[in-house]
Amino acid sequence: MVSISPSVLAQLEGQVIELPSWAFGNSGTRFKVFGTPGTPRTIQEKISDAAQVHQVTGLSPKVALHIPWDKVEDYSALREFAGDKGLALGTVNSNTFQDDAYKFGSLTHLDPKVRQMAIDHHFDCIDIMHATGSADLKIWLADGTNYPGQGDIRGRQDRLAESLAAIYARLGENQRLVLEYKFFEPAFYHTDVPDWGTSYAQVAALGDKAMVCLDTGHHAPGTNIEFIVAQLLRLGKLGSFDFNSRFYADDDLIVGAADPFQLFRILYEVIRGGGYGPDSTVAFMLDQCHNVEEKIPGQIRSVLNVQEMTARALSVDRTALTAAQEAGDVLGANGIMMDAFYSDVRTDLAAWRESRGLPADPMKAFAASGYQAKIAADRVGGTQAGWGA
Amino acid sequence: MVSISPSVLAQLEGQVIELPSWAFGNSGTRFKVFGTPGTPRTIQEKISDAAQVHQVTGLSPKVALHIPWDKVEDYSALREFAGDKGLALGTVNSNTFQDDAYKFGSLTHLDPKVRQMAIDHHFDCIDIMHATGSADLKIWLADGTNYPGQGDIRGRQDRLAESLAAIYARLGENQRLVLEYKFFEPAFYHTDVPDWGTSYAQVAALGDKAMVCLDTGHHAPGTNIEFIVAQLLRLGKLGSFDFNSRFYADDDLIVGAADPFQLFRILYEVIRGGGYGPDSTVAFMLDQCHNVEEKIPGQIRSVLNVQEMTARALSVDRTALTAAQEAGDVLGANGIMMDAFYSDVRTDLAAWRESRGLPADPMKAFAASGYQAKIAADRVGGTQAGWGA
Amino acid sequence: MVSISPSVLAQLEGQVIELPSWAFGNSGTRFKVFGTPGTPRTIQEKISDAAQVHQVTGLSPKVALHIPWDKVEDYSALREFAGDKGLALGTVNSNTFQDDAYKFGSLTHLDPKVRQMAIDHHFDCIDIMHATGSADLKIWLADGTNYPGQGDIRGRQDRLAESLAAIYARLGENQRLVLEYKFFEPAFYHTDVPDWGTSYAQVAALGDKAMVCLDTGHHAPGTNIEFIVAQLLRLGKLGSFDFNSRFYADDDLIVGAADPFQLFRILYEVIRGGGYGPDSTVAFMLDQCHNVEEKIPGQIRSVLNVQEMTARALSVDRTALTAAQEAGDVLGANGIMMDAFYSDVRTDLAAWRESRGLPADPMKAFAASGYQAKIAADRVGGTQAGWGA
Amino acid sequence: MVSISPSVLAQLEGQVIELPSWAFGNSGTRFKVFGTPGTPRTIQEKISDAAQVHQVTGLSPKVALHIPWDKVEDYSALREFAGDKGLALGTVNSNTFQDDAYKFGSLTHLDPKVRQMAIDHHFDCIDIMHATGSADLKIWLADGTNYPGQGDIRGRQDRLAESLAAIYARLGENQRLVLEYKFFEPAFYHTDVPDWGTSYAQVAALGDKAMVCLDTGHHAPGTNIEFIVAQLLRLGKLGSFDFNSRFYADDDLIVGAADPFQLFRILYEVIRGGGYGPDSTVAFMLDQCHNVEEKIPGQIRSVLNVQEMTARALSVDRTALTAAQEAGDVLGANGIMMDAFYSDVRTDLAAWRESRGLPADPMKAFAASGYQAKIAADRVGGTQAGWGA
């Protein structure tokens, strides 16, 4: 029906969707983690897989690291390795949930020694960022409690503020701290950063280099996520996205898979609020678990979903929309949004992709490349990467 | 088992739970509003009913007004009328959801004339507050949209900030503005103040006299409300409570009826965070709908529920709790909370009530008073009060 | 990209989406019901409005009645009136929630006199059905309680079974009883038919002419509705749909507005399970509230949404899908579904519509017809229809 | 205030709450499983720990097994071992979620070979039941899909019915099959037995020896679980409970910890519906994860919670309740429920416990026993038991 306008295509140039290194390793639920032939054993193999995604989509020139899962001796060498594959190293994700010391908290722990241990881990991450050239330190905390009374909610919040201040003070000139929030899991009574309000209040107290990270799967049922996007952009505190999708909890499914219309509305508010394009510092990243589907194609599908939906969201006729809103024309205004959402941008994007030297159908191109068969044959022995140190 | 300690009883002295005038009128759902014999027709009759609640409980010396539902010619006379009944007039609640002009918003409306009309209504409320001696102006907004695209989420938020600033500037020396948030209803796609984060960000931008109002029924399923209490107290922005309870949405049932343990946890965090007692400015208020139960007994039951649960929450052995937390004794810490929760404070409270010249059993005392039969006989003709202007 | 195949177009022939008479009257929330110029005052005016929807879409040759809202002296005359407008009278909806007698229940009430009154009302509805030629008696119960202990859950269930049996026994040869379930509202502690399991258990005990009615807005957050569709079709008990959409609770928004992908999945399972087409007895109906949007266009938009999504769901390549499922190709199988969902069927449908003598753009055609202006001018005085007797 | 009546105490005699063997092993979330000193390495050590719970509470003479986690060579010997510790072996739980073959389903799998493998596993379980003297085979299925299209919902349901029929046919005279349902997890798009309705429809098709198992953590947010209890008892199909509690999803916390009032209401409906006492076949079982708290005390706390709440539920004055319901006295009826709930039964239960030769305070008695220190010292080396084969 509608074809994508040249101006929209121009805005799609330069879109970057960062890939998480751990999406290429195994993941699962508390019940079972399934392995698959070809799963990488090292961060180098993860980077090689990520390079495949970028090669067929042109959308993902960056890979995020998770420390300690991706620990290496020489981060400059790793940066070079990635560079040779056409990739930069992106966000560094800290981990304070897999050491026995953190059973009752990390940055919020009652014991100053444990807190310092967790702070030191973030100092290490910052050191790594200097070596890798990463700009963002992402903090997602598993801190929380399972039973009323187990911890002192208020005291933990105060200690969190202190710990974050210590980490913040260590940031380099061009480095940022992004603080993720999560409704629940792995803690089941309270989490120490459960909602955007808490993340916002904490980073606002830190300073300009501290921002909120919004993971699309970390909200209560029914939450209007695009409202949060609009609000955080308004407050100047939207730092980055962890994209994925969910039907129930933090399902970590492929972005756009569970509720494509929600993804459309989120991207519309990102654009509306100035969070998209060369002048924005909002980072787009995936954070997903390919428990039952193939991992590399899963990542390809994901970045394409974001690109296609960005094209739709950019196509909203905002002049007409404003006019309909001013006229109190509810159905007309809604219709303008739906027109963009229902437009099938795929043919135009395929042609545009080809015009830029990329395959029209990246999924098919990867399948035809033989890469999957090759790694399945090559990667024998060793320990498949997963969510373990 | 445990008897209430004298120190806890001392802290119960002076507890005030404000009653909403509208709780004595009819309410219901979109499907049906049931009337009952004796329902008040005027604000004076509502105040008379409220006086009954205070008379048997000693807990509710204040009645909140809702404008325009409780509009009168002479507010000084109303204040005197209430005074004669032993009551003060409390929070003034504005209403920007029942005029046809507000179909697409009030303080957030695109049309500056409608916004000014809504602002003017709040100016009127402030004038009334001067006459009634009320300290708090409570703003709950029905503003929002039903369909994506119907309104511009971001622009509405900016206009809300401007409108609130105009109202804030009009506040007297000792007056406060409390901004309520609500997850959904009557708007179904987005509400303009959906969560504590939004209310907090808006009131923080206004100044010290602007605070957040927490209605216990206005959250997403599964939300940890006591966390929000702890956080708002920490940020110095918890202004007041609208107490009620819910199983599903904003059911407006009797406080403590749906999840008594949640009420206990909320009150514990109030106390823990300094939100209770003579030095606190946090206002306790009910906001409920007695759709199928008797209204005056419904209010009596409600204030007793809050008092009983406050007694339990005050009884938590916080020294022992801290020790258990420091020892990492999860079950011990939780057990200390549960001990207080499971303590049956009712016998002790009955005796204490009697010692202060109040009936041991307020529910029975009211039933025996004959008041209900009297108003059923007297209040014939006229229009029963409800949620209408 | 994909154009609609002739076989799909053929299957779209004869699709019927019944309109609810009350969608043309005013509706709202407990906070406010907005009126609009041109709102019908009588069932005849509602039918006239419904005829407009059918005229521009060819999709809605039936109007459902709600008794007593649509009570008339002479139902044969009403049937004729509708026939003259090109419409048949459809489902008769009973109402046991607006009489004071039903405050504590209707078919479940403890008092046999109240139960009989409710049963008699259904007998009246059956009589009306004979006159109108309606096939389905739809029962949605507001029965339930607000507080634990208020009623005896188990006893109410037993009485419900008895009452339904009495009604069932009165059904004519070609009449059906469809029993709707609803998670909550207007009751807030328990509802007597809260889930499909209860409705199924009750209708299974009645016999072949009793079926389940699935209202898409009547489920707990996160419920997989298409699973219920598949299950009820498997059990031979899916009688009819009440289509609408929701973000939070029973929002009653335009079908497909809140989660278009969910509507797609629901229609896919309908088709997959044999619930679509000339051999199926599953009735498609709307049940919506146009609180803030225009009513006739709201209905036009709704039936078009169902038609467009049916076209997409019919377009799923089921042979390829089965092959992908058999191969364990998760992304491939999901991709086949998404291909159909993302196909823009609107151009093809517009052409097909024109080929059948209908306007290509029904929304525009209605706007251009001048009907709205005419009824706004004509329908002056009287009482606008709404949710009242 | 109220003391427990002799008749209630008499009804508490003989209460049995079965313990799950796996509650004594390690468990956690997908993020981390914490180990603790003294965790059992074998089923014998698990049984020894379970015996401690029964020793101090007199409530848990049965231990449930999970196959293959608790596989041994000689089940008669295991039965004898348990008998020596004063315990019987209870429900046998099958496991079809940890074999790579089950990635896309077990009893629902498209491949008949995989289905047969899963059926055979249940045959093995039945064989074990004969040796252990167990009456119930519990089936909880992880079967489901993560993405729309991944599987054929309808076909899977049909295959499930076939597989269950094969298993059912193998049951011995006095053996039962109980089918558990679960809203979500580990599958995130659809689960094959998501709700009580599905479990009911499936077991009703099997016959009298097939029943529903209700796990209190397996429902959508806001679900009224006691309604389901009442309904299943009414339909004669409530087989057993898996008790635990949750704030968000399937948190598997200690029963009664998250919402004690809900547990009260559930137990009230159990009693009301005839599901409690010597004439009932409803089995009470725990199914919990002690991720951060001590395991043996966690189980002691759990069975005490069930016992205390049963005492409260048995104490409801049902004659007065019925009278209040008949009088339409909403607050009176609710007050009768709350009176029982708020009664502090703990002192009376402690005395009663002592009168039966049990410790007044089982938690303290276990702590004083030195058992925990002993197993921490003894159980060195080996592999701590957890959720693995």
Side-chain angles (χ1 to χ4, degrees), chain B residues 142-208:
Chain B
D143 290 36
T145 61
N146 276 4
Y147 292 97
Q150 176 187 335
D152 176 27
I153 290 176
R154 167 65 180 273
R156 293 171 71 95
Q157 200 65 213
D158 294 334
R159 293 191 292 274
L160 173 60
E162 278 179 40
S163 298
L164 288 174
I167 296 166
Y168 185 82
R170 188 73 160 240
L171 289 176
E173 187 86 15
N174 297 310
Q175 292 178 336
R176 303 193 306 177
L177 177 166
V178 293
L179 181 63
E180 200 165 331
Y181 58 90
K182 187 172 184 185
F183 188 53
F184 83 101
E185 196 213 20
F188 297 128
Y189 165 57
H190 104 279
T191 53
D192 288 300
V193 190
D195 50 27
W196 78 263
T198 295
S199 183
Y200 168 69
Q202 288 282 358
V203 301
L206 293 175
D208 287 349

Side-chain angles (χ1 to χ4, degrees), chain C residues 104 148-152 157-158 161 183 189-190 194-198 220-221 224 226-227 231 234 272 325 330 333-334, chain D residues 104 148-152 157-158 161 183 189-190 194-198 220-221 224 226-227 231 234 272 325 330 333-334:
Chain C
F104 299 124
Q150 177 186 334
D152 177 27
Q157 200 65 212
D158 293 333
F183 188 51
Y189 165 57
H190 104 279
D195 50 26
W196 78 263
T198 295
N224 184 320
E226 58 270 28
F227 177 90
Q231 183 68 279
R234 179 179 172 269
R272 162 65 181 91
Q325 289 169 349
V330 176
N334 179 244
Chain D
F104 298 124
Q150 177 187 334
D152 177 27
Q157 200 66 212
D158 294 333
F183 187 51
Y189 165 56
H190 104 280
D195 50 26
W196 78 263
T198 295
N224 185 321
E226 58 269 29
F227 178 89
Q231 183 68 277
R234 178 178 173 270
R272 162 66 181 90
Q325 288 168 351
V330 176
N334 179 246

Side-chain angles (χ1 to χ4, degrees), chain D residues 228-262:
Chain D
I228 299 174
V229 169
Q231 183 68 277
L232 284 173
L233 284 169
R234 178 178 173 270
L235 296 167
K237 280 296 184 190
L238 181 59
S240 62
F241 277 100
D242 269 7
F243 280 118
N244 51 55
S245 76
R246 51 75 75 97
F247 287 97
Y248 304 97
D250 186 29
D251 307 344
D252 281 328
L253 301 177
I254 287 175
V255 56
D259 187 349
F261 184 46
Q262 184 187 57

Side-chain angles (χ1 to χ4, degrees), chain A residues 148 189, chain B residues 216 222-226 243-248 251 253-267 305 309 338 341, chain C residues 146-148 188-189, chain D residues 246-247 256-263 265 334 338 341-342:
Chain A
Y189 165 57
Chain B
T216 51
T223 301
N224 184 321
I225 298 174
E226 58 269 28
F243 280 118
N244 51 58
S245 76
R246 49 76 73 94
F247 288 97
Y248 303 97
D251 306 344
L253 302 176
I254 287 175
V255 55
D259 186 348
F261 185 46
Q262 183 187 59
L263 178 60
F264 170 79
R265 300 190 314 259
I266 288 172
L267 289 169
N305 281 357
M309 212 54 93
M338 302 314 292
F341 175 69
Chain C
N146 277 4
Y147 293 97
F188 296 127
Y189 165 57
Chain D
R246 51 75 75 97
F247 287 97
D259 187 349
F261 184 46
Q262 184 187 57
L263 178 60
R265 301 190 314 260
N334 179 246
M338 300 316 291
F341 175 68
Y342 281 131

Side-chain angles (χ1 to χ4, degrees), chain A residues 104 148-152 157-158 161 183 189-190 194-198 220-221 224 226-227 231 234 272 325 330 333-334, chain B residues 104 148-152 157-158 161 183 189-190 194-198 220 224 226-227 231 234 272 325 330 333-334:
Chain A
F104 298 123
Q150 177 187 332
D152 177 27
Q157 199 67 212
D158 294 334
F183 188 51
Y189 165 57
H190 104 278
D195 50 26
W196 78 264
T198 294
N224 184 321
E226 58 269 30
F227 178 89
Q231 183 68 278
R234 179 179 173 269
R272 161 66 180 90
Q325 289 168 349
V330 176
N334 179 245
Chain B
F104 298 124
Q150 176 187 335
D152 176 27
Q157 200 65 213
D158 294 334
F183 188 53
Y189 165 57
H190 104 279
D195 50 27
W196 78 263
T198 295
N224 184 321
E226 58 269 28
F227 178 90
Q231 183 68 278
R234 178 178 173 270
R272 162 65 181 91
Q325 289 168 350
V330 176
N334 179 245

